[in-house]
Every structure is written in structure tokens, then in C-alpha cells.
Amino acid sequence: MAAPAVLAPAARPGAAVALARGGSRPKAPALAGPRALNRRRPRRFEADRQGASARFLTAVGAATPSTSASSGGDAWKDLVDFDTFRWNGYSINYAVNKSRNPEALDVLLVHGFGASIGHFKKNIAELVAKGYNVHAIDLLGFGESEKPLDYSYTMEGWRDLLVSYVEEVALAPKGLVIAGNSIGSLATLLTAEALVGGPLQSRLKGVVLLNCAGGMNNAATLDDDWRVKLAYPIFALINALLSIKPVAQFLFDKIRDETFIENVLRSVYGNQDSVDQDLVDLILGPSFKPGALEAFVSILTGPPGPRPESAMPAIEAAGVPILILWGEEDPFTPMDGPVGKFFLDTLEPRSSAVTKRILPGTGHCPHDDRPEEVHEALLPWLAQL
């Protein structure tokens, strides 16, 4: 998942400006089902703080000793155990499926900006049903993982976290596939680059990229995307404002609003039926946790980190299979942007280890937007590794 509007990592300026002004796609018909969004909004932040946080804690299943699931959208929680491990002194939340298959591949799922483990709930259920060992992790600063107040977030830091997870938790005797979305895709690539240069190279069996980001924030594509250059004065102003704590708090409070989050989600999802209350709560809940503001500011104003292109020579030289899945309607990392062009037009034709599929009617988060389309491409690819 990407950050909202002009505050998104490597966001598309046109969509950014529209959303910053309160715009969105035309709303789909009212959602059906028990978790349909409450249309009686907007709400005041303080009034919604406890409700959003409580719903989030229930959704992730990590805040209480029990992870028993209800029916419907929560059934995936019956399939996993939640636990934590320490990385550089910080508590990192993760989930692993309960029924381990020692003869199967392990698949590690890495979320994008603002998301967490539950963003992969549809994929966890499908992968477990097909016999894979599934891991999902909350990156530092997101979900139920720690949000340190004085930490400077970087792509390299998330890379090192994931490498440590592979070394200490995801032992993967039959091999490991790492799959990520948005900045989680970029973190996945950087992790793969680190693994192929060390003793764990043989453990890495593949990489899956779901609409990979160009960097931790918009500065990553400033030099080669005219849209980012055009909107740069806006980004620079926002960065300056975020350096002022009261102003940053004011902007953050404006963003952690159900209506705002729903509008952003609708702008980046092709399938409007996938935008429900559970998804809004997944994004909204962690934003009320201590350290969420500091993470938000650090990520949006920090160094963008390595571009995905820089990681590819080592991965290609090692012959690691790569599956690229790209939502055709992504406004944040569009197909005609520099990152989309690299993966879809340059990388795939030159490398026999790369498989790509463009997903029509799908936005920035294909795995949750249209999971059936993702599974249709992912499962056969996994089976032949």
C-alpha cells in the first residue's frame, strides 16, 4: 500500500494533487456485506480513535493471546500464529502458518506503506490451502511492530530487518520466495540483492514484485519523471511543513480520517468492492499508536534510498527467478512512469528469468485488489520453481 496522495512514496503527482484537494474516483455503489463502510461520516479524530484502534487490534489478532477467528474475512487468522522477534532491540511482529510442510517452499510477504500483515489475508489463505509455508511481517514502523520515536527510517534499514528475519526465523529448508508490494517490493529486491551476495544465496528461490515503488518517497524519481518534477514545489513545501512538529501533527490528523483513507484507497483500487471497513481499519488503526507520526514524517522526508534498478544486476547474475505483477490502473507507480517502464519494457525482454503479467482493472495493490488474478499468475509460477 502507498501513502495517501501527495504524501505517497513515489506517488503520481496528478493523482496526488487531486486527492490533496479532496478529490477521488467516483464512489462505487454502497458496499455489500457485514463490513460495509459506515456512510455517516466524517467523524472527529478523537471520537474515532478508540474505535479504529480496537477494530485494528481485533483484525490483526496480535493484541490478545487468542487468535481465534470469526467467519468470513477473519478466517485467515485461524491459519497463522503471531509472534515477535527482536531486531536491533526493536520488537517486530510477524505471522507464520500453523501447519508447516517441511517439503514445501516458504513464502515471505512484505507489505507496503501504511499497511501490515492483514493486507495479505486473502493471499495467506490461498497459499496455505495450496500447501506453502507462509510468513508475513510488519515492517518496523507499521502494524503491530515497534515505532521508535527517534529512528531514522531507510530502505536499507528495512532490507537489514528482512535479512535478519530470513536468517533467524524463516529457515526455509526447501527454499524461500519473497513477495512484496510497493515499498515492500523495493525492500524485497534489496533483500534479494543482499542474499545473493552471501551464504544464504541458495535459500532464495524467487522474488515476486507487485507494483514496485521507485523509492521510499517521491524524491526517488525526481530526476526522470516529469510529473514528479512538475509537482516538486508541492512536495518541497510539504517536507518543510513536516519539519514543524505542530504542523506535522495537524496534517497527520487530517490524513488519519476514515473518509480521507477511503477516498485514497478507492483511487488506487480498481475493484471498488475490495475497499471495505476492514481495509480502512487496517490502515487507520496503527496511525493512533505512539510513534506513528514520527514514522510518517521520517519516511516522507528521509532519503529515498536505492532505486530498484540498482539491485537488479546482482539478482540477474545469480539467475533468481522474478515474477512481476503490475496493476494496469496504478496511479502511484504507473506503467508509463520510469519504474514501470523499467520493469515492464526493459527488464523482462532482456532476462529469461523474468516473467511479467499486466493485470487489467487493477490498481496499486493487486494482491488485495484482485487476488484471484494474482493467484492465477502466482500459483503456477511457484509450482515450477
Side-chain angles (χ1 to χ4, degrees):
M1 179 60 200
V6 296
L7 304 177
R12 185 175 185 176
V17 174
L19 283 168
R21 294 172 177 167
S24 69
R25 285 185 181 179
K27 294 292 184 69
L31 299 175
R35 299 295 291 166
L37 286 165
N38 184 349
R39 298 293 170 183
R40 294 176 296 173
R41 291 196 304 260
R43 301 182 187 177
R44 295 185 63 83
F45 302 117
E46 292 302 320
D48 190 55
R49 180 189 301 268
Q50 292 183 347
S53 297
R55 291 194 301 266
F56 169 74
L57 293 175
T58 300
V60 300
T64 61
S66 171
T67 58
S68 60
S70 61
S71 60
D74 289 337
W76 69 278
K77 292 185 291 182
D78 264 347
L79 304 174
V80 300
D81 288 319
F82 292 92
D83 204 347
T84 61
F85 82 106
R86 305 295 294 182
W87 176 75
N88 285 2
Y90 302 120
S91 177
I92 304 300
N93 185 55
Y94 69 93
V96 181
N97 64 299
K98 294 178 179 179
S99 54
R100 307 284 295 158
N101 181 355
E103 298 303 315
L105 283 172
D106 285 47
V107 180
L108 171 59
L109 304 172
V110 186
H111 63 80
F113 185 97
S116 54
I117 290 170
H119 206 203
F120 287 107
K121 64 182 182 180
K122 301 168 186 175
N123 321 106
I124 290 171
E126 184 70 17
L127 289 167
V128 170
K130 294 297 187 291
Y132 294 100
N133 301 314
V134 183
H135 307 250
I137 190 170
D138 285 343
L139 295 173
L140 186 73
F142 298 112
E144 285 293 289
S145 287
E146 195 166 339
K147 300 165 184 63
L149 298 178
D150 57 352
Y151 183 82
S152 295
Y153 289 86
T154 64
M155 291 306 310
E156 294 91 339
W158 287 323
R159 173 202 63 199
D160 294 345
L161 163 60
L162 292 171
V163 170
S164 293
Y165 183 85
V166 172
E167 291 174 340
E168 300 174 26
V169 182
L171 301 181
K174 292 298 181 179
L176 175 71
V177 172
I178 312 178
N181 171 230
S182 189
I183 58 172
S185 269
L186 180 53
T188 292
L189 272 182
L190 298 178
T191 302
E193 180 189 27
L195 292 176
V196 298
L200 297 179
Q201 176 171 329
S202 62
R203 191 183 300 179
L204 182 65
K205 301 302 182 184
V207 168
V208 182
L209 306 177
L210 298 150
N211 289 67
C212 186
M216 190 172 72
N217 51 48
N218 289 289
T221 55
L222 178 61
D223 292 335
D224 56 1
D225 192 329
W226 65 268
R227 289 162 294 205
V228 175
K229 287 184 178 180
L230 186 65
Y232 178 72
I234 298 174
F235 300 143
L237 174 61
I238 290 173
N239 282 0
L241 293 174
L242 288 175
S243 67
I244 306 170
K245 182 67 178 286
V247 177
Q249 185 69 65
F250 174 80
L251 292 174
F252 192 53
D253 285 343
K254 289 293 185 183
I255 287 168
R256 58 179 179 185
D257 166 70
E258 282 196 359
T259 300
F260 184 92
I261 290 174
E262 181 193 349
N263 286 343
V264 172
L265 289 168
R266 289 194 180 283
S267 77
V268 300
Y269 271 59
N271 178 14
Q272 298 295 291
D273 289 341
S274 291
V275 180
D276 60 9
Q277 187 67 56
D278 284 336
L279 179 59
V280 172
D281 289 346
L282 181 83
I283 308 299
L284 182 63
S287 69
F288 291 106
K289 293 180 175 293
L293 169 63
E294 288 75 12
F296 175 81
V297 172
S298 177
I299 293 166
L300 293 174
T301 61
R307 285 280 294 260
E309 297 94 327
S310 69
M312 290 313 306
I315 298 173
E316 288 183 90
V320 177
I322 300 173
L323 175 63
I324 298 170
L325 301 176
W326 213 275
E328 188 176 36
E329 296 182 3
D330 183 358
F332 283 173
T333 50
M335 291 173 53
D336 64 346
V339 178
K341 285 182 176 179
F342 169 74
F343 282 111
L344 301 174
D345 299 337
T346 302
L347 181 63
E348 189 264 350
R350 82 183 187 199
S351 176
S352 61
V354 174
T355 302
K356 75 173 181 184
R357 178 175 294 188
I358 296 169
L359 305 175
T362 306
H364 187 64
C365 309
H367 59 289
D368 187 59
D369 189 341
R370 298 190 186 276
E372 297 84 2
E373 299 294 327
V374 169
H375 298 154
E376 183 179 301
L378 174 62
L379 294 173
W381 182 83
L382 286 173
Q384 52 85 38
L385 293 179

